[in-house]
Amino acid sequence: MSLVINDLHVDVLTEDGPKQILKGVNLTINPGEVHAIMGPNGSGKSTLAYAMAGHPKYQMTSGSVTLDGKELNELSVDERARAGLFLAMQYPVEVPGVSVSNFLRTAKTAIDGEAPKVRTWVKEVNQAMGALGLDSSFSGRSLNEGFSGGEKKRAEIVQLQLLNPKYAILDETDSGLDIDALRVVADGVNRYTGQGDRGVLLITHYTRILNYIKPDFVHVYVDGRVVTEGGPELAAKLEETGYDAYIAAARANA
Amino acid sequence: MTITEVPNVAGAIETLESHLHPQPSFDLADHPSPNGREEVWRFTPMRRIAPLLEERANEDREGDPAVAFTLNAPDGVEASTLNRGQAPRGTVLVPGDRPAALADLGCEDALYVRIPANTEVAEPIRLEIEGRDAGRRSNAVHVIVAEPNSKATIVYRHSGSTQQLENIEIDVRDGANLTFVSLQDWADDTLHAAEHTARVGRDATYRHVNVSFGGDVVRMHTNVYYDGPGGSAELFGLYFADAGQHIEHRLFVDHNAPHTKSNIDYRGALQGQDAHAVWIGDVVIRKVAEGIETYESNKNLVLSEGARADSVPNLEIETGEIAGAGHSSTTGRFDDEHLFYLTSRGIDPVEAKRLVVMGFFVDIIRRIGIPDVEERLVAEVERELAASVGAAK
Ligand SMILES: Nc1ncnc2c1ncn2[C@@H]1O[C@H](COP(=O)(O)OP(=O)(O)OP(=O)(O)O)[C@@H](O)[C@H]1O
Ligand SMILES: [Mg+2]
């Protein structure tokens, strides 16, 4: 039982045809583990996240991702979510006309295979939103429409809490958050991992969030590959040295 | 959603001698057969609508009318008929185009519904209009008078196959409150041209709700003018154009009295090859019409390639002394990013699309404010979406 990424190659579909971004990624996330991925802009972190979630613009060309033994490439986007995968997006999409409350109920029903109990559900939603510092008026608003950058990120974690997937990929959920919001969001993630059997892949640029969410492993990612791995101390080291040495090494190997 | 916003008032056409509303007349000679190049016809598929431009009598047969009308009028409402030229027929509506002139010419006995003064009718008045043959013509004229300080709701439901011309004249007298709902749930082969014209009295409240789902070609005029200050008109519309369907709504509000209000809000979704929606909003503010307020809005949601929405808001202003005037027109696209976001939360693709369209429509339905009507419309929208987008799970 784990989320296993094995020699994954991914192309992004561009107007000029497919372009290879991931060049053999290996990573295993066991239940209960938090993995941080760090790496320079454009190194393919979001590509990894989108490819796993099944975004149509990204194509797995070889290798595999399995979730508790299920081959993700054989599942549609919604089937992956129902299998237990969740992606908190770097740029959550605005969906005009669909209210947050209606969306959450529909998603919960889809994930659980049955509608949530009417009475407890509303309470649960309000509680989750309250915990992330979103007041109940957000329920009636269109999904992500007009939300500030920080509010969108909080709303992603509200969803994480309510949908409670087996594995969560958090793509730069900490970017664009003020210091208080960072703590609120981190608390939300910690409540989720506190269950003990959930796996997290945390994509970030900043060690700041790693003071709140303690990773078990840190992976450094350059040009579509993991170039080094270690424990939390690796993040601290990166803070001092930056990526230059890794980028140079990756170039030399290419 | 990708949204293109049309700029506000400043961008509106502010001409007075508008080509948008030709001189009304009962005389067919004043309405020659259009060739499709006229401003008011340029969006309409002329070849498909040709049968509606011919002079034809009602093609009823013994015991087998072209269209079956079933009126369900609660106590307190009077229903009878009016011959051509018999008042109040022809008081409010003078035909604005050829189909309307033909409707009047071809209808001997107009349906006359009268809501007596000071009467409040709790139950909606319902009229079922069922076409029975796509090859046969029906010419309908209806006269509705809501007498002073009365209050009522009228719900029309059009279904089946036919070629229908329909003039509805609605007199909302001083202090009356009338809600008129017209549901176009026609079969795929129906041709429908309609003119719904209302005169809104002093301090009267009029609400017109168009819901257009079915039909091959549906072309509807909704006109409003006023008979004194203080009148208010809200014109709401929902439509869903499927592959090959042409749905055209033309709205005209003539602010010919001071301190009157109008609000036009139409929303449509389009899906499929050659689904075509046309919305023309035209508001005229006359010199006498000081202190009026008006807003017109049209939003389209394009769900697939191959569908086209034309949306033209016009505002013609003759006085500077207005409380407020504006318009907007947006066309959004339900794209892969919306679909990805919703499905990444476990929602299946069909349900995701339904969710988006439903949300888009419900916004308008909730503004009607009559729970019974709202519930029915929500059910109608759900049924339409189940058929055209895919069933709810
Ligand atoms: N449509 C496209 N056409 C060309 N290149 C693309 C396209 N989409 C993505 N890419 C490229 O793929 C690479 C990886 O992008 P990705 O978003 O995965 O990076 P990232 O590691 O998440 O970066 P950041 O830290 O800035 O979020 C980038 O170089 C990007 O420019
Ligand atoms: Mg990224």
Side-chain angles (χ1 to χ4, degrees):
Chain A
M1 294 300 239
S2 44
L3 184 59
V4 181
I5 304 167
N6 183 26
D7 193 29
L8 184 67
H9 289 68
V10 169
D11 286 359
V12 60
L13 304 179
T14 76
E15 281 171 8
D16 313 322
K19 174 182 168 190
Q20 192 183 49
I21 305 292
L22 300 191
K23 303 166 180 173
V25 177
N26 293 292
L27 196 63
T28 296
I29 299 159
N30 293 305
E33 294 177 353
V34 175
H35 293 247
I37 288 190
M38 306 186 76
N41 293 129
S43 56
K45 304 179 300 297
S46 293
T47 302
L48 175 65
Y50 278 130
M52 288 167 77
H55 192 290
K57 251 180 50 188
Y58 300 86
Q59 223 164 35
M60 295 189 190
T61 52
S62 72
S64 74
V65 182
T66 56
L67 189 154
D68 295 349
K70 270 183 230 161
E71 181 62 62
L72 287 188
N73 209 17
E74 288 165 9
L75 303 181
S76 63
V77 177
D78 51 312
E79 286 168 341
R80 295 178 198 206
R82 294 200 293 272
L85 187 70
F86 179 87
L87 167 60
M89 294 185 204
Q90 185 173 359
Y91 303 108
V93 181
E94 300 195 0
V95 189
V98 177
S99 71
V100 169
S101 65
N102 198 6
F103 162 71
L104 290 174
R105 194 177 338 97
T106 308
K108 182 69 175 171
T109 304
I111 297 281
D112 289 3
E114 59 177 354
K117 301 260 175 309
V118 180
R119 260 199 277 145
T120 51
W121 176 243
V122 176
K123 220 188 262 170
E124 224 180 297
V125 169
N126 287 337
Q127 204 170 36
M129 294 210 303
L132 268 301
L134 298 175
D135 70 59
S136 57
S137 72
F138 278 86
S139 286
R141 288 176 61 176
S142 281
L143 183 55
N144 292 327
E145 194 182 32
F147 288 22
S148 74
E151 287 165 350
K152 282 180 184 160
K153 299 300 182 72
R154 294 170 194 236
E156 295 287 282
I157 302 305
V158 168
Q159 294 174 42
L160 173 71
Q161 188 161 332
L162 292 170
L163 302 179
N164 199 15
K166 290 182 186 153
Y167 301 93
I169 307 167
L170 310 179
D171 189 359
E172 293 199 25
T173 301
D174 56 329
S175 296
L177 292 180
D178 63 48
I179 191 70
D180 294 333
L182 188 70
R183 177 171 268 129
V184 161
V185 161
D187 287 347
V189 175
N190 288 333
R191 272 194 301 280
Y192 167 73
T193 55
Q195 298 172 97
D197 59 349
R198 309 285 138 160
V200 170
L201 187 61
L202 180 83
I203 298 170
T204 183
H205 285 294
Y206 307 106
T207 47
R208 204 176 54 162
I209 189 156
L210 303 180
N211 298 330
Y212 299 107
I213 303 172
K214 289 277 173 244
D216 300 296
F217 304 93
V218 175
H219 311 265
V220 179
Y221 204 87
V222 174
D223 190 26
R225 284 190 189 91
V226 175
V227 293
T228 188
E229 297 172 298
E233 74 289 344
L234 180 55
K237 188 183 148 206
L238 278 174
E239 189 88 321
E240 286 167 31
T241 61
Y243 298 115
D244 284 352
Y246 299 109
I247 295 172
R251 282 222 187 91
N253 286 344
Chain B
M1 199 169 309
T2 331
I3 303 249
T4 40
E5 187 93 31
V6 172
N8 226 322
V9 186
I13 300 167
E14 290 176 21
T15 48
L16 177 58
E17 289 300 319
S18 179
H19 45 268
L20 279 170
H21 22 93
Q23 193 62 33
S25 164
F26 279 103
D27 189 351
L28 189 60
D30 292 330
H31 302 284
S33 226
N35 57 34
R37 287 189 295 275
E38 299 81 359
E39 178 58 32
V40 294
W41 287 100
R42 69 187 176 100
F43 293 106
T44 312
M46 299 309 290
R47 201 161 316 147
R48 276 152 72 192
I49 210 173
L52 296 187
L53 301 171
E54 297 163 5
E55 186 173 356
R56 270 155 69 185
N58 281 328
E59 287 159 333
D60 297 336
R61 293 173 191 149
E62 191 62 40
D64 175 23
V67 164
F69 293 87
T70 314
L71 177 69
N72 191 332
D75 287 346
V77 175
E78 279 179 28
S80 57
T81 57
L82 298 169
N83 298 326
R84 288 196 78 218
Q86 185 183 353
R89 179 174 173 175
T91 317
V92 168
L93 185 156
V94 181
D97 67 3
R98 184 173 177 88
L102 289 169
D104 187 70
L105 211 57
C107 178
E108 283 311 323
D109 44 353
L111 172 68
Y112 176 33
V113 174
R114 192 174 75 90
I115 301 132
N118 305 309
T119 309
E120 186 164 327
V121 188
E123 277 283 291
I125 301 161
R126 297 187 185 283
L127 185 67
E128 291 286 332
I129 300 170
E130 196 201 346
R132 299 159 60 88
D133 185 342
R136 282 197 270 161
R137 161 73 70 77
S138 156
N139 305 299
V141 175
H142 298 173
V143 181
I144 294 159
V145 177
E147 291 190 344
N149 304 311
S150 64
K151 184 173 182 184
T153 300
I154 302 179
V155 179
Y156 275 42
R157 188 166 194 282
H158 301 85
S159 63
S161 300
T162 186
Q163 298 175 5
Q164 206 211 11
L165 299 183
E166 177 184 276
N167 293 355
I168 302 182
E169 48 184 301
I170 301 169
D171 200 4
V172 191
R173 307 277 284 275
D174 296 352
N177 184 324
L178 186 74
T179 299
F180 184 92
V181 180
S182 184
L183 172 63
Q184 285 70 246
D185 191 29
W186 298 112
D188 289 344
D189 50 5
T190 286
L191 302 176
H192 183 204
E195 181 160 338
H196 295 179
T197 299
R199 179 170 71 177
V200 179
R202 173 185 279 268
D203 298 327
T205 302
Y206 173 57
R207 233 166 328 166
H208 184 279
V209 184
N210 247 336
V211 181
S212 301
F213 290 150
D216 175 22
V217 179
V218 169
R219 188 178 192 271
M220 312 202 51
H221 290 274
T222 303
N223 305 323
V224 170
Y225 62 99
Y226 298 86
D227 194 25
S232 154
E234 287 180 300
L235 311 178
F236 294 137
L238 304 179
Y239 49 93
F240 194 110
D242 290 315
Q245 252 190 319
H246 176 93
I247 296 182
E248 180 167 347
H249 292 107
R250 310 185 69 95
L251 296 116
F252 175 40
V253 176
D254 188 349
H255 278 281
N256 58 337
H259 303 289
T260 48
K261 279 187 192 166
S262 67
N263 179 26
I264 301 175
D265 203 336
Y266 269 61
R267 291 193 179 191
L270 299 88
Q271 170 171 277
Q273 195 55 42
D274 297 321
H276 190 198
V278 177
W279 178 89
I280 310 292
D282 188 19
V283 175
V284 172
I285 303 167
R286 304 265 172 195
K287 221 173 217 94
V288 296
E290 294 188 349
I292 69 103
E293 246 177 279
T294 178
Y295 199 86
E296 49 178 334
S297 161
N298 176 225
K299 291 192 170 85
N300 287 293
L301 179 60
V302 179
L303 298 172
S304 76
E305 297 296 316
R308 195 176 107 205
D310 288 296
S311 177
V312 187
N314 296 297
L315 196 49
E316 307 175 50
I317 305 176
E318 277 185 64
T319 174
E321 306 293 311
I322 54 179
H327 66 161
S328 86
S329 163
T330 62
T331 297
R333 197 167 270 286
F334 181 68
D335 63 24
D336 290 348
E337 296 301 327
H338 300 115
L339 189 64
F340 174 67
Y341 189 84
L342 296 172
T343 52
S344 80
R345 273 38 175 159
I347 300 167
D348 85 69
V350 168
E351 175 80 4
K353 207 176 244 195
R354 233 180 43 85
L355 195 64
V356 166
V357 180
M358 197 67 205
F360 184 64
F361 282 157
V362 162
D363 231 29
I364 290 242
I365 295 176
R366 290 298 169 223
R367 256 176 294 153
I368 296 170
I370 303 171
D372 176 45
V373 172
E374 288 183 4
E375 262 164 55
R376 268 167 193 270
L377 286 182
V378 167
E380 294 286 358
V381 172
E382 272 171 354
R383 201 181 39 74
E384 167 71 13
L385 295 189
S388 50
V389 177
K393 286 261 167 77

